[in-house]
Amino acid sequence: MQFNLFAITSAFVGAVSFSLSLFILANSKNRLHRVWGFFNLAVSVFGLGAFLVAISTNYQSAFWSWKLAFVGIAFIASFFYHMTHEYCKLTNKKMLWFVYAHGTIFAVLTVTTDFIFHEMQYMFGEFFYYKAGLGFNILFPVWVMIVGKGFMNMYSLMMKAKGAERIQARYLFGAMLLGFSGGATTSMPSWNIPIYPAWHIFICVYATVCTYAILKHRFLNIEFVVRRAAVYAGLFVFVYGVFAIFAITGQQILRDLLGWNEWLAMMPPIILVVLVVKPLEAFLSEKTDKFLFQKKYNYRELMQLFTTEVLMIFDLEKVTQHTVEALDNIIKLESCAVILSDDEDGFKISASRGVENTNVTFAMEDPIIQHMRYSGEPLHLDVLIKRPGSSKVLIDALNKLNSRICFPITFNKEFLGILSLGAKKSGEDYTSNDIDILGSLARAEAIAVKNARSNSDLVKAKARQHLGDMADGMSHQFNNRFGTIVALLGFQEILIPEALTHVKDVSLEEQNKKLRESLELALAAIAEARDSAFRGGEIAKTLLVHTRPERIGFGVHDISKGVPLGLNLVALKHTDFKSIKVVQRIDANLPPTWSSLSIIQEILLITLDNAYDAIKTREQSQPGHEGVIEIHISHKPNERFIRMVVKDNGCGIKPADLVTVNAGVPYFTTKGSASQKSGYGAGVHTLGEYVGILGGRHRYESQYGEWTSCVIDFPVRSKPEEALAPAEQTHGQNSHR
Amino acid sequence: MVKILIVDDEPAFTNTYVAFLKRIKDVETFGALNSKEAYALLNAQNPEVLLLDLNLNESVKGLDILKHALARNPKLYTLVTTGNMDSKVEDECLTAGAKSVIHKPASLQDLFEKVSQAVEAVRPSTGGGGL
């Protein structure tokens, strides 16, 4: 046996082609796949024969090895033509009969006669090479013509095809041309043309290009076959290999320790292997299907996901992220993305997995947006490719998203975006059942997106409303400070020159007295001005804390931390709030809960603001009444909620009004004074909305003329899905201002 | 002698203006820090000019005092001061009978001139004051 470059390249050609043929034949779905598999098998037979020729050291061995190689060569043209015949969907059966007859005759004559070649010569100082016989010189030109006709078929298809199909045809045409060009050079030495027969290595390149096209461009729609087989084979070899090592080790132990002879020691491992191989195969098959290529996902699980999780999330980013992750985990997708409209940039990817270019954007005018917006129907890549006249732009858009199917996300005819799903890892197509259920999910996604956007708008609107409400107070606060400074310093500007003027005409003692008085007044004015400026700064700081954007975010918080901020805000709004005694009773070790401190702060602002008004109202009718507000936050070990009670000793709520207040009627106000701003009672409704966002519940209790309590329960939770049941209505003497 | 009532919840502001506006000839000035004091002085002193802050940080608003004071004395010359920039507020005050709205912070000179004009308008005989 001898190794040389011809042997190595031939071994590669044989091994690569054989592997490819095995994968394709083992998992073929149609005739095209099978013919392609046989084509590769024929190439591998040629590779094997050439390898045996290259390592042969004697004439006879090389001679029969060439005959084996020629059997492969004979059928390469036949299978190649048949493959193009299937690929191009040709109907001419006569040509098929002809090419197979040619291949059969070529092979039979090669094996049974010396008509194709009958002698060899030692070439390149390495191996015996056949000399072209009469039969070869007759049949090989026909072989070349058959191959040429196959290429013509492919070229014709390539020119007619569009979109992805054209890309696939180009790959196949280019790869085949490369492979055949390389392979054909191996015939040259047979005519004494001294070209070293190593260029058939290009056949390996052909196989590599085809594999790349299969995976990247869904060549022949069998990418899952190759991938699935590769994953399965890899796992099987690994697990079985480990198992085999244990078996061999066991065999050695039996032989060495028990003294069994080699054949006897082999029996237990063989029996074990035979018993285990089928269950192991079944186990691996099930596991690879379940965890890598989940075939049948659970519709119920999907629906439950959207009704109990996605729809309950009010943060848009989390909605889309959760959607993508959940769909990917349940269906096992190559890629998944949610594309949403953006005011500034058109449509862009909000969340994705497995999408290569996450910066893809679409304008409103883009065909994919227009199509989905107006048709309201999903776009299925497989359907588009197969349908004659499909828009290449649409196919390209889907390819940009690595998408196999896209669903419109539409809410009440309002087009919000696209739900894009890539190929399933199982390789299975999307069935009509899949499309139905995923279409429903896209509609649920639209509700979730709309909810999240509305909530975001609501939070912003409420924040703006409160800021607007506070703006009056803020403006008053700032301008009072500045007004005071202007008045104090302005007056000093007048007084000091006057003092200096007057002291000229009086005695020294009188001068000292007047100057001292003047300086004392000036010092007092400066101190007032300094205090005013300082208070202005404190107001500005509190306002900044209130409006700092990061405070809007949700997270696991100790809600009692919102109390100081709420108190600061209400004190800013009402400068005489300090006249009211505030008693805080906050339990130690309150459990942290999923909430937003910003919203907690708003809730406290509303409740404290109402408490302030109630106390002030009572003060009008009862001069000298001392206002007290109690803030009590508690949690009992076995309860699922944290309770916050804000109680004031203000005017209370009439029983009839309390029913309306607890019913959460929007814009209801118990304030009768014409001097009050209209719609102030909307704060109570807003409170309900804020509490609802946090998954809590609230109610008012009151004794008219004596007190009012706002009782708010916040759920103890680490995630947003757990909300409390609505508060039970209490019947008693309740009221609200 | 023209009586001027200054109503503002900011003591430094009120005290300064009580002292400063005395410089107008033949005037007497009074200061109130809340509605209660304002009502009391309106009744007790019967002022001819009212310099009223609109936001007193209490449940009784400046507008309530304005309406009450004008109902009691329709000839009362009322100047409203406010830190609020909302034009609706200004319209409400003027509709209620205020003669002018002064936005805070105002310069002493501006305020002095406006109050002086008010004093001249209500003074039975001609005369004036100056800084």
Side-chain angles (χ1 to χ4, degrees):
Chain A
M1 186 185 293
Q2 58 179 21
F3 276 94
N4 48 53
L5 184 60
F6 184 41
I8 294 167
T9 52
S10 299
F12 266 109
V13 168
V16 168
S17 301
F18 187 66
S19 302
L20 195 57
S21 69
L22 276 190
F23 278 136
I24 296 165
L25 287 173
N27 298 282
S28 60
K29 286 169 73 178
N30 53 39
R31 185 181 291 171
L32 173 60
H33 295 162
R34 285 191 291 278
V35 176
W36 190 32
F38 282 120
F39 168 77
N40 286 296
L41 192 61
V43 176
S44 71
V45 170
F46 159 66
L48 175 64
F51 171 72
L52 293 174
V53 166
I55 63 170
S56 292
T57 51
N58 63 71
Y59 188 93
Q60 199 61 21
S61 166
F63 188 78
W64 283 102
S65 295
W66 271 121
K67 284 184 180 278
L68 175 63
F70 266 86
V71 171
I73 291 169
F75 282 107
I76 284 174
S78 309
F79 287 129
F80 174 67
Y81 179 83
H82 192 176
M83 193 178 143
T84 63
H85 178 91
E86 293 293 332
Y87 191 54
C88 303
K89 297 183 176 62
L90 302 179
T91 53
N92 186 356
K93 300 278 185 188
K94 287 178 184 172
M95 187 63 187
L96 270 185
W97 279 107
F98 173 75
V99 299
Y100 276 111
H102 169 269
T104 306
I105 290 167
F106 199 161
V108 168
L109 287 177
T110 301
V111 175
T112 58
T113 72
D114 293 339
F115 182 58
I116 303 300
F117 71 95
H118 62 277
E119 60 178 331
M120 299 185 300
Q121 57 182 334
Y122 199 69
M123 294 187 77
F124 307 106
E126 292 178 349
F127 40 75
F128 291 99
Y129 219 89
Y130 71 94
K131 290 177 75 171
L134 178 61
F136 184 80
N137 287 330
I138 294 170
L139 290 176
F140 189 68
V142 178
W143 186 96
V144 171
M145 284 192 287
I146 291 169
V147 171
K149 180 71 172 80
F151 273 110
M152 284 170 63
N153 291 342
M154 286 181 61
Y155 182 78
S156 174
L157 176 77
M158 188 172 73
M159 298 310 287
K160 286 180 194 167
K162 289 180 178 176
E165 199 172 349
R166 186 167 187 167
I167 295 170
Q168 293 171 357
R170 278 182 183 169
Y171 269 102
L172 187 60
F173 186 87
M176 287 289 188
L177 194 61
L178 195 66
F180 272 103
S181 303
T185 59
T186 57
S187 65
M188 296 300 160
S190 67
W191 291 302
N192 276 327
I193 300 169
I195 296 175
Y196 191 88
W199 297 104
H200 58 320
I201 192 69
F202 278 112
I203 292 171
C204 294
V205 178
Y206 138 78
T208 307
V209 170
C210 282
T211 306
Y212 173 78
I214 286 166
L215 298 176
K216 179 78 177 172
H217 296 282
R218 304 169 50 252
F219 180 43
L220 299 187
N221 297 320
I222 60 168
E223 79 274 33
F224 71 93
V225 170
V226 176
R227 194 175 297 191
R228 187 185 181 79
V231 172
Y232 175 74
L235 279 171
F236 189 83
V237 166
F238 175 74
V239 176
Y240 202 72
V242 172
F243 178 77
I245 288 168
F246 277 106
I248 291 165
T249 310
Q251 182 190 350
Q252 285 176 343
I253 291 168
L254 290 172
R255 189 182 58 201
D256 297 344
L257 294 182
L258 301 179
W260 292 10
N261 72 48
E262 201 166 283
W263 292 104
L264 192 60
M266 197 188 291
M267 289 311 291
I270 288 174
I271 293 167
L272 199 59
V273 167
V274 169
L275 289 176
V276 166
V277 68
K278 285 306 285 182
L280 181 65
E281 184 182 2
F283 172 78
L284 284 172
S285 181
E286 183 196 332
K287 293 302 173 192
T288 50
D289 276 352
K290 185 171 181 181
F291 294 109
L292 295 174
F293 309 116
Q294 189 166 4
K295 281 182 176 178
K296 299 297 176 193
Y297 47 87
N298 189 333
Y299 289 150
R300 193 178 164 193
E301 187 184 355
L302 269 177
M303 288 306 290
Q304 200 173 20
L305 165 84
F306 272 79
T307 51
T308 61
E309 291 186 26
V310 176
L311 286 173
M312 294 304 292
I313 302 173
F314 294 99
D315 181 306
L316 184 61
E317 193 179 329
K318 286 179 183 170
V319 165
T320 54
Q321 195 60 44
H322 196 69
T323 300
V324 165
E325 286 172 7
L327 285 172
D328 185 20
N329 290 338
I330 295 171
I331 309 179
K332 308 291 181 199
L333 294 166
E334 296 287 346
S335 66
C336 183
V338 175
I339 300 98
L340 292 179
S341 60
D342 183 277
D343 289 343
E344 293 173 0
D345 303 323
F347 288 79
K348 64 181 185 181
I349 292 177
S350 178
S352 69
R353 263 192 182 184
V355 176
E356 288 170 20
N357 182 6
T358 53
N359 295 321
V360 174
T361 57
F362 297 105
M364 183 58 89
E365 307 77 49
D366 277 350
I368 186 170
I369 301 296
Q370 291 292 310
H371 179 93
M372 303 213 80
R373 187 180 180 192
Y374 292 111
S375 75
E377 296 292 326
L379 266 180
H380 196 166
L381 184 63
D382 293 342
V383 174
L384 279 176
I385 289 171
K386 286 175 190 167
R387 191 167 57 203
S390 287
S391 164
K392 182 178 179 300
V393 182
L394 286 179
I395 294 171
D396 288 347
L398 289 174
N399 283 333
K400 272 186 193 173
L401 293 168
N402 303 109
S403 176
R404 185 64 67 89
I405 191 163
C406 278
F407 294 88
I409 300 174
T410 305
F411 181 83
N412 276 349
K413 296 183 181 176
E414 182 187 354
F415 181 69
L416 303 173
I418 298 170
L419 175 65
S420 163
L421 306 179
K424 294 180 190 174
K425 284 180 180 167
S426 68
E428 294 189 336
D429 292 334
Y430 286 96
T431 64
S432 56
N433 269 348
D434 291 338
I435 292 170
D436 285 346
I437 193 82
L438 291 168
S440 298
L441 291 186
R443 287 188 284 279
E445 179 73 3
I447 296 169
V449 168
K450 195 72 182 166
N451 275 350
R453 281 187 170 164
S454 300
N455 181 59
S456 172
D457 291 344
L458 174 71
V459 169
K460 285 177 190 168
K462 296 303 176 192
R464 277 196 298 271
Q465 180 188 325
H466 280 289
L467 283 175
D469 284 349
M470 288 179 66
D472 292 347
M474 291 294 168
S475 176
H476 172 80
Q477 294 282 2
F478 281 119
N479 286 326
N480 258 7
R481 305 282 86 74
F482 291 130
T484 302
I485 293 168
V486 168
L488 288 165
L489 299 184
F491 197 25
Q492 288 305 313
E493 260 188 321
I494 296 164
L495 290 176
I496 291 171
E498 281 178 358
L500 291 173
T501 306
H502 292 150
V503 294
K504 289 174 187 170
D505 307 324
V506 295
S507 66
L508 196 59
E509 189 180 348
E510 194 67 17
Q511 279 182 24
N512 283 339
K513 187 185 171 191
K514 281 194 173 291
L515 281 173
R516 189 179 296 111
E517 285 173 3
S518 179
L519 286 172
E520 280 172 357
L521 278 172
L523 278 174
I526 289 168
E528 284 283 356
R530 180 202 60 208
D531 288 349
S532 285
F534 179 77
R535 280 157 65 193
E538 288 298 303
I539 291 164
K541 270 194 277 186
T542 308
L543 185 63
L544 279 176
V545 169
H546 177 62
T547 56
R548 196 175 287 160
E550 63 266 25
R551 301 194 61 77
I552 297 296
F554 277 79
V556 177
H557 298 296
D558 174 356
I559 62 168
S560 67
K561 288 187 176 169
V563 175
L565 290 165
L567 286 168
N568 276 347
L569 285 173
V570 78
L572 277 180
K573 193 169 179 181
H574 308 288
T575 49
D576 60 340
F577 185 76
K578 57 183 177 289
S579 67
I580 296 170
K581 185 179 177 186
V582 177
V583 179
Q584 294 185 47
R585 285 190 293 134
I586 297 171
D587 284 6
N589 304 318
L590 285 174
T593 186
W594 181 266
S595 57
S596 157
L597 281 184
S598 187
I599 293 180
I600 296 281
Q601 180 183 300
E602 293 293 329
I603 288 169
L604 273 156
L605 176 61
I606 293 169
T607 51
L608 291 170
D609 197 25
N610 282 342
Y612 167 87
D613 280 336
I615 289 169
K616 289 295 167 187
T617 304
R618 186 168 176 183
E619 281 177 2
Q620 283 180 8
S621 57
Q622 281 183 256
H625 173 69
E626 290 184 2
V628 178
I629 295 175
E630 293 174 36
I631 302 171
H632 184 199
I633 305 179
S634 61
H635 174 252
K636 292 177 184 169
N638 295 324
E639 285 179 341
R640 288 178 54 242
F641 57 85
I642 299 163
R643 174 159 291 177
M644 180 164 80
V645 179
V646 178
K647 183 177 182 182
D648 65 73
N649 62 347
C651 61
I653 309 175
K654 291 176 184 170
D657 287 346
L658 186 67
V659 175
T660 312
V661 167
N662 275 328
V665 175
Y667 302 101
F668 172 77
T669 177
T670 60
K671 294 173 182 173
S673 168
S675 64
Q676 299 289 1
K677 289 181 183 177
S678 60
Y680 182 85
V684 177
H685 178 65
T686 307
L687 174 76
E689 289 183 339
Y690 279 134
V691 172
I693 288 170
L694 298 183
R697 61 192 179 198
H698 77 294
R699 67 176 188 276
Y700 284 92
E701 297 171 355
S702 184
Q703 173 78 48
Y704 182 55
E706 296 294 329
W707 56 267
T708 301
S709 281
C710 179
V711 182
I712 305 170
D713 293 337
F714 300 98
V716 178
R717 55 184 186 170
S718 55
K719 286 191 287 184
E721 69 270 24
E722 305 143 25
L724 294 173
E728 288 179 11
Q729 292 295 315
T730 53
H731 302 286
Q733 297 183 55
N734 303 319
S735 72
H736 187 263
R737 46 227 166 264
Chain B
M1 189 73 77
V2 175
K3 291 180 180 174
I4 304 172
L5 175 60
I6 300 149
V7 183
D8 197 300
D9 61 325
E10 194 64 42
F13 185 92
T14 308
N15 295 338
T16 301
Y17 275 92
V18 165
F20 176 62
L21 293 177
K22 278 180 184 166
R23 293 171 165 256
I24 302 171
K25 191 181 175 185
D26 295 330
V27 299
E28 193 175 358
T29 55
F30 306 92
L33 297 175
N34 51 49
S35 58
K36 191 177 163 189
E37 289 178 14
Y39 287 134
L41 286 167
L42 281 169
N43 288 331
Q45 300 297 334
N46 196 21
E48 287 91 1
V49 177
L50 175 64
L51 185 63
L52 174 67
D53 183 22
L54 212 53
N55 191 340
L56 296 176
N57 273 316
E58 58 176 296
S59 53
V60 180
K61 303 297 175 190
L63 197 59
D64 296 329
I65 298 173
L66 173 68
K67 288 174 182 171
H68 171 86
L70 287 170
R72 187 182 166 281
N73 176 14
K75 290 183 179 176
L76 181 66
Y77 196 108
T78 310
L79 298 165
V80 169
T81 62
T82 177
N84 196 317
M85 296 298 161
D86 191 347
S87 59
K88 280 184 185 173
V89 175
E90 189 170 337
D91 292 342
E92 275 183 319
C93 294
L94 295 174
T95 305
K99 290 285 191 290
S100 179
V101 175
I102 301 166
H103 290 285
K104 290 183 182 177
S107 73
L108 280 182
Q109 186 66 38
D110 285 348
L111 202 118
F112 187 86
E113 284 175 8
K114 286 199 165 134
V115 176
S116 296
Q117 285 169 11
V119 169
E120 290 309 313
V122 298
R123 197 189 294 279
S125 58
T126 55
L131 284 171

